[in-house]
Amino acid sequence: MGIEMRIFMMISIVLCLCSAAVHAAQGNAVYYKPPYSHSACYGNQDNGPMVTGVSDALWRNGQACGKRYRVRCIRGANQAPHPCKPGNSVVVKVVDYCRQPCNGILNLSQDAFNEIADLDAGKVIVEYNPV
């Protein structure tokens, strides 16, 4: 393989890694308790426990329904002593709309929130990426 091809491949890899990092977004996440079976997207259909509602920032007149996000806690949004569970992330499916006033961009199911953060924190700052 020629030197030009190696350089091209290295640049391509770097660009791919950079574009993946650019897609990460941050915002507040809160949680709601079960049952999770009634939603704006799917009515009474059961979508399992790893679900989320989204605020106007992601809702886009219902176009968010069915999208999946990988979510991880990056820090607390209040004075909770150890809000995040380091290294944990969860993939959630958008099934609902969080009406104003919504305290987070993501309104995670209690099960999903508990995977990444201490429930006592109540509200955390998360990083979320489409998957």
Side-chain angles (χ1 to χ4, degrees):
M1 184 176 343
I3 189 77
E4 294 87 9
M5 184 59 124
R6 288 182 189 171
I7 292 172
F8 173 77
M9 289 177 62
M10 288 174 44
I11 290 172
S12 296
I13 290 170
V14 168
L15 288 175
C16 286
L17 291 173
C18 290
S19 68
V22 169
H23 292 293
Q26 293 182 8
N28 291 336
V30 294
Y31 71 89
Y32 65 103
K33 296 179 180 179
Y36 311 131
S37 60
H38 184 76
S39 69
C41 297
Y42 302 105
N44 290 325
Q45 179 180 329
D46 183 4
N47 286 280
M50 298 305 167
V51 294
T52 190
V54 295
S55 70
D56 288 325
L58 296 175
W59 180 245
R60 295 188 179 91
N61 293 321
Q63 293 179 11
C65 290
K67 292 193 181 206
R68 295 182 186 275
Y69 292 94
R70 178 170 302 281
V71 182
R72 73 179 184 91
C73 180
I74 55 175
R75 68 179 175 275
N78 53 36
Q79 300 300 316
H82 300 288
C84 296
K85 295 182 178 177
N88 288 8
S89 68
V90 64
V91 174
V92 292
K93 178 180 178 181
V94 176
V95 299
D96 211 354
Y97 174 59
C98 185
R99 300 193 191 302
Q100 293 301 328
C102 187
N103 290 322
I105 288 177
L106 298 172
N107 190 13
L108 300 168
S109 65
Q110 181 175 328
D111 294 275
F113 191 95
N114 192 43
E115 288 289 318
I116 61 167
D118 182 354
L119 292 177
D120 290 336
K123 183 178 185 179
V124 293
I125 308 298
V126 295
E127 179 179 85
Y128 58 95
N129 297 295
V131 291

